[in-house]
Amino acid sequence: EQDKGVKIEIIGILSHIRSDKAIEILEAQLQKESDKEVKESDKDVKIAIINTLISFRRGDTINLLFTKLLQKEGTEKEVKIVLVQALYQLMQDKAANILIVELQKEGTEKEVKIAILKQLNYIRSINTVTPLLDLLQKEETDKDIKIAIIQTLGNTGSAEVVAPLTEMFKKEGSEKEVKIAILTAFGFIKTDETAKLLINQLHEGTEKEIRIASVNALSMIGIDKAVEPLIKQLKKETDKDVKINIIRILGSVKGDNAGKATDALIEAYSVEQVEEVKAYTIRTLGTFLQNTGAEAVSKKYGINIKLTRYLLTHPKYFLMTVLDSGLKQKMNEVSYQLNRERTNHPKE
């Protein structure tokens, strides 16, 4: 059959038969299509066959055929991308070595390399660290490929990558996007060295994107370690976007450091001049206080328990109360009197 549409329709029918004979027919046709001259072959037919063979999910011959086509000179990049995804789906971790070989080839297209790195992200194999570092450190490696490699290295969680990535971060001329990728990767690698670099860039990073990346990565390595550096930065930060990110992270703190985070948010609100940041602080604090609970808030800030329950649903009034000691005293007195009246005259 020469008509592409008819071929794809037949492939669809074979996908419903799901027999060994159907697999045999599809494998043979895929090989036949791949043996044609590139100008005569049809990538849509190849992709349809590959996707159908994936659905069968059986047979080492399929894995071998897919590997051969991936490594074959002249296979279209769109087909290669589908093959990369297929090999991961069929072989899982065992696909890593096959994908690394294709990644290291000089002639492999950029889009195919990105697709390979995406699948290696899912595999998260320690065995990929050395070849990925070798490729990363080559000067000619494309920036987008570098970023994808860094993301993949971060997902392995291997401490082995910390030193070379730190060196790349500090290297003169490193692109901002590459630096941000490194900071993000360090969020997945929980070591003292990664925490040190993230805290340093939180405080010393000259570009706001670097500081925001540090904020987010610090929250990933452990919120308890991040609280003090975040509070310190919030007090001196001038950029509203960085402030909002810090406030968002502090608003998720739980346990022993929750009190410190609450105090920091209240203090930040009291001195903030930008309305957008003030409004975000109110929303964050509202959710934070409700999660903390009325009894804990009442005890910490010396507010009548019934009044506290009201204020937790009105965070702006809560801030007004705790920031004005005179108002807090009056509010407590009024609340006490109202509650006493309710007790003494329950029908009124």
Side-chain angles (χ1 to χ4, degrees):
E1 179 58 59
Q2 299 302 309
D3 184 271
K4 177 178 77 173
V6 175
K7 281 187 176 181
I8 291 175
E9 190 69 27
I10 294 171
I11 293 165
I13 295 168
L14 286 169
S15 71
H16 294 294
I17 297 174
R18 306 188 70 80
S19 68
D20 290 341
K21 184 63 178 176
I23 293 174
E24 182 184 326
I25 292 167
L26 290 167
E27 287 180 338
Q29 188 63 30
L30 180 59
Q31 185 67 65
K32 182 180 176 182
E33 293 288 338
S34 300
D35 288 342
K36 293 179 181 178
E37 294 291 332
V38 174
K39 62 181 180 181
E40 295 177 2
S41 69
D42 195 296
K43 62 186 177 186
D44 292 335
V45 172
K46 292 180 187 175
I47 290 170
I49 296 173
I50 293 165
N51 286 329
T52 299
L53 287 172
I54 294 172
S55 69
F56 288 111
R57 288 188 175 276
R58 67 179 188 267
D60 289 338
T61 57
I62 294 176
N63 299 340
L64 292 170
L65 177 58
F66 283 1
T67 302
K68 179 182 175 183
L69 294 182
L70 178 64
Q71 297 171 348
K72 184 177 183 293
E73 193 75 29
T75 300
E76 302 92 329
K77 67 180 179 182
E78 295 86 355
V79 176
K80 283 186 178 181
I81 290 170
V82 177
L83 287 167
V84 167
Q85 296 165 346
L87 284 165
Y88 169 69
Q89 289 183 51
L90 294 170
M91 300 179 69
Q92 299 291 301
D93 295 0
K94 294 178 182 177
N97 291 337
I98 298 168
L99 297 179
I100 284 290
V101 169
E102 188 64 23
L103 182 66
Q104 291 174 318
K105 283 168 60 177
E106 288 187 9
T108 301
E109 300 89 336
K110 175 180 173 180
E111 296 88 344
V112 177
K113 289 185 176 181
I114 296 288
I116 290 171
L117 289 163
K118 184 176 179 180
Q119 301 309 314
L120 291 176
N121 257 327
Y122 300 132
I123 294 173
R124 300 181 181 184
S125 171
I126 298 297
N127 296 331
T128 64
V129 169
T130 299
L132 287 176
L133 284 174
D134 290 342
L135 183 59
L136 178 65
Q137 291 165 350
K138 290 182 179 179
E139 290 292 337
E140 66 271 17
T141 301
D142 178 86
K143 181 180 74 174
D144 293 334
I145 300 294
K146 283 183 180 179
I147 291 170
I149 291 172
I150 292 165
Q151 291 169 344
T152 305
L153 288 170
N155 278 335
T156 66
S158 172
E160 183 184 342
V161 309
V162 174
L165 289 184
T166 301
E167 183 181 349
M168 175 171 279
F169 184 92
K170 295 178 178 179
K171 185 178 178 181
E172 188 175 348
S174 289
E175 300 98 326
K176 180 171 69 176
E177 295 86 350
V178 171
K179 288 185 174 183
I180 289 171
I182 291 171
L183 294 171
T184 304
F186 278 1
F188 294 95
I189 306 169
K190 300 173 175 61
T191 69
D192 291 339
E193 290 78 11
T194 56
K196 183 178 178 181
L197 178 66
L198 292 171
I199 291 169
N200 174 266
Q201 290 304 308
L202 172 66
H203 296 325
E204 306 298 332
T206 56
E207 296 171 292
K208 76 172 187 178
E209 293 86 356
I210 294 293
R211 299 199 298 280
I212 289 173
S214 301
V215 169
N216 293 326
L218 274 170
S219 72
M220 293 164 64
I221 67 169
I223 194 67
D224 288 339
K225 289 183 179 180
V227 170
E228 292 290 353
L230 290 174
I231 290 173
K232 180 180 177 181
Q233 186 63 29
L234 185 58
K235 290 178 179 179
K236 69 173 187 175
E237 183 58 59
T238 57
D239 183 87
K240 70 179 180 66
D241 294 325
V242 181
K243 286 181 182 179
I244 285 172
N245 275 274
I246 294 174
I247 290 164
R248 174 176 56 81
I249 300 302
L250 289 176
S252 65
V253 175
K254 297 177 182 177
D256 296 339
N257 285 314
K260 289 181 183 178
T262 310
D263 290 341
L265 292 173
I266 292 170
E267 182 182 348
Y269 176 85
S270 69
V271 298
E272 184 57 55
Q273 301 297 314
V274 179
E275 285 302 320
E276 182 183 350
V277 179
K278 288 174 79 78
Y280 189 84
T281 306
I282 290 171
R283 292 196 301 273
T284 303
L285 195 58
T287 303
F288 188 37
L289 291 171
Q290 289 186 49
N291 291 336
T292 303
E295 289 188 9
V297 175
S298 173
K299 184 177 180 180
K300 178 173 175 60
Y301 293 103
I303 303 173
N304 177 284
I305 183 63
K306 291 188 176 180
L307 174 58
T308 301
R309 290 192 182 104
Y310 169 79
L311 291 176
L312 291 192
T313 61
H314 298 78
K316 186 173 183 179
Y317 296 154
F318 170 81
L319 286 163
M320 290 169 60
T321 304
V322 296
L323 290 171
D324 186 335
S325 58
L327 176 61
K328 182 170 74 173
Q329 182 179 347
K330 290 178 183 177
M331 293 277 277
N332 273 331
E333 289 172 359
V334 170
S335 181
Y336 172 77
Q337 293 295 337
L338 286 171
N339 288 324
R340 191 174 69 169
E341 286 296 314
R342 181 176 294 168
T343 301
N344 293 338
H345 308 284
K347 292 182 180 181
E348 297 182 12

